[in-house]
Amino acid sequence: MMDTKRTTFQNKWLPYVLLAPQLFITLIFFIWPAGQAVKSSFEREDPFGFSTVFVGLQHYARLMQDPNYLDSFLRTAVFAVAVTVISMLLGLLFAVAVDRLMRSARVYTTLLVWPYAVAPVVAGVLWFFLFNSSTGILPYYLSFFGIKWDHNLNGTHAMILIIIAAAWKQISYNFLFFLAGLQSVPHTLMEAAAIDGSGPIKRFFDISLPLLSPTTFFLFIVNVNYTMFDTFSIVDATTNGGPAQSTNILVYKVYQDGYLGLNLGSSSAQSVLLMLIVIVLIFVQFRFVERRVQY
Amino acid sequence: MIKKLVLTAAAVALSATTSLAATEVTWWHAMGGELGKKLEEVAQKFNESQSEYKVVPVYKGTYPETLTAAIAAFRAKQQPAIVQVFEVGTGTMMAAKGAVYPVYKLMADQGEAFDTKSFLGPVTGYYSDTEGNILSLPFNSSTPIMYYNKDVFKKAGLDPEVAPKTWKEVEEFSKKIVTSGAAKCGFTSAWITWVQTENLSAIHDKPFGSLENGFGGFDTKFEFNGDLQVKHWANLKKWQDEGLFKYGGPVGGDQAATMFYSQECAITMNSSAGRAGVINNAKTFTPGFAPLPYYDDETKEPKNSIIGGATLWVLNGKDDATYKGVAKFFSYLSKPEVQADWHQFTGYLPITNAAYELGQKQGYYEKNPGADVSIRQIMRGTPSANSKGVRFGNFAQVRTVVDEEFQALLAGKKDAKQALDSAAKRGDAILREFQAAN
């Protein structure tokens, strides 16, 4: 056990006062709206709010019977796994590559971090143009391989498009954390291993990767959260959930039903479910995955 | 120095009081780009024409965004006096009786002259209650028409002055265009739901939904999975497979315009309000304008097409002075000169008979051939229960459903009958939800 410094407050109230701003913000911007969502998920209301009827679990029951909603679950899973895996693997690959560089590391780091500064909407639009079936450059090259790219009608193409756009943006973030993690791996360990005759690949798998596990764990949680919530604008800017709902991930469906469809009750129920899913995921990760992490 | 400060302060105070004297009327709208600029010019001119009221237009994004923003604002008691709502939001607005100040009532309360008959029939029909009272002021109404590329027609050996009249001709012409290599695709279309389903039904006098397309009440069901619509959707799929038709994308089908401008497709079907865009973008070719095609084995006399676009709704909860200003502004908007100017600039329909006549007197339609295609198409024949419009709650959601099923059809996952049946079934579920909430 390391020696811990403990500050004791003389004034009983001071810690609460110091905590208050943060608690206040959490209450106003998180707890209160979340509570409102839970409340309205049990109600049926007209858009203007003239009549509100308590309907209990009816919205939830309907959702569970709606094949489109259940499909959306599956699509979200595919999307979340693909984006997380792709962006973390590529982020790690780039980090390892840059970590080995001596002089130009800083230039590469700057360039690789750039996409993170791009807003999700812009990232979406960018890839949308690159993949535009009549004017985009990528479909032109793909046509040489006999692939007729059309994300307006082909659901798989549309899914690939949003996965690429969402992953591309997130690579920078993962790269930065992996690089910092790699740079904090003690040189003495690496040198000792090198002297003992293990090559760079073996050193990476036996030393760097295990030592990176806290970073990997942290990034995993952040990435799953990112795919569940932050990717809304990418979908909105490119596919609008289409074609035929093939890219209608959960967070977009909440928007579509609540905002465009003005079906507030069902939309609230969906956002409550989405919140529960993420809470469960994070719980599972902390409970089971964290045990294997070495700090 | 101090003297100067005091003077400026006094000047500021003075200017503040003069601007306070004018009653502000906020107007939330969804017109971006060129249309937005023109709209602001309309408000500005009204403000200059008198000093009592100041109309303040505020751009709130797309149509759905504007509607949702207005509803959220109403719930927070921060609503604007006037909000522009697109035609698919009509059902929602009409059901919200406590939120809306009907225009006919407003004009009567404020003593402003307001004659329902001075407006174009098909336009007012869409926005009136069952007693024939206009609930919202028609502002920008459009109807879909056909645009074609005269140069490509010439290249394909077709007469550039003759547009296809029927779907059979659209097919024949498209074949010629594609096989001669004049263009890669024959035709495309914006707004699949609005143009190729709602308007298709109206033109052929077929119901889109029960209870007079929803005009008769909330207890309505969709009937757009009839023979005609199935036949048309099956044709579109067939023509897509043959390379004659190209899909322009969901909702508004933004790519339809792009494919037409880049001369990839020789024909497109889109809102008459797309006219300004076509003229601006057709730099290297001459565009032609024509009515929408029809099936001549289904009908010999196609009915009027139905409208889209938006109207201005007045929201409850403002003071009397503001409503006085709204009424004055609405009278101003309905003036023939103002309407004709807006119509001629944008391609939206002239809302009043007087504005149309003014345009004729000015010789506008002779100078701009094709500008009255939309008006003549909407005025032809006597509107029937099937052609006076559609009115359903949560209709924006239904349109999304129809779009999705159309995509499933084009992707080969369903045939036309299955796609339309499924769209009607899913649409009915949305209608029941709306019925239960209202």
Side-chain angles (χ1 to χ4, degrees), chain B residues 275 344 356-357 359-372 376:
Chain B
R275 185 184 156 85
Q344 292 168 12
Y356 183 33
E357 281 157 21
Q360 287 170 320
K361 247 181 259 159
Q362 292 166 334
Y364 172 74
Y365 303 105
E366 276 123 62
K367 275 180 257 159
N368 298 278
D372 56 350
R376 281 201 258 131

Side-chain angles (χ1 to χ4, degrees), chain B residues 197-198 201-202 205-217 219-226 229 306 385-392 395 398 424 428 431:
Chain B
T197 319
E198 289 163 41
S201 309
D205 201 9
K206 294 282 185 294
F208 190 79
S210 65
L211 296 178
E212 302 191 9
N213 284 351
F215 277 66
D219 195 21
T220 167
K221 285 180 71 149
F222 286 118
E223 292 173 349
F224 56 69
N225 48 345
Q229 292 93 335
I306 56 178
N386 295 326
S387 77
K388 69 179 173 189
V390 291
R391 184 176 300 163
F392 302 98
F395 196 47
V398 177
D428 284 344
L431 289 182

Side-chain angles (χ1 to χ4, degrees), chain A residues 44-51 59 62 68 128 132 134 152-153 242-245 256-257 259-264, chain B residues 64-65 68 71 74-75 93 96 98-99 240 247 255 264 394 396-397 400 404 407 410-411 426 433 436-438:
Chain A
R44 174 182 283 126
E45 195 173 50
D46 69 299
F48 284 88
F50 291 118
S51 71
H59 293 305
R62 280 234 178 118
N68 283 317
F128 188 74
N132 188 308
S134 47
N152 276 327
L153 282 177
Q245 297 221 346
Q256 223 181 25
D257 291 357
Y259 199 84
L260 300 178
L262 296 169
N263 191 346
L264 301 176
Chain B
E65 280 165 3
T68 316
I71 289 173
F74 186 85
R75 294 178 70 132
M93 294 303 284
Q240 183 208 230
Y247 182 49
Q255 302 204 28
E264 191 177 341
N394 290 346
Q397 258 182 316
T400 309
E404 285 171 11
Q407 289 168 338
L410 292 190
R426 287 172 64 194
E433 187 70 28
N438 283 284

Side-chain angles (χ1 to χ4, degrees), chain A residues 153, chain B residues 167 170-171 187-193 195-197 200 228-247 269 293 295 406 409-410 416 420:
Chain A
L153 282 177
Chain B
W167 279 107
V170 170
E171 185 181 12
F187 73 103
T188 180
S189 174
W191 300 100
I192 290 297
T193 323
V195 181
Q196 305 300 347
T197 319
L200 175 91
L228 166 83
Q229 292 93 335
V230 170
K231 172 168 131 186
H232 185 56
W233 276 36
N235 277 338
L236 288 174
K237 165 72 178 154
K238 191 186 91 187
W239 293 330
Q240 183 208 230
D241 294 344
E242 293 170 358
L244 305 180
F245 164 67
K246 249 189 135 173
Y247 182 49
M269 289 157 218
Y295 286 99
F406 189 70
L409 165 76
L410 292 190
L420 279 161

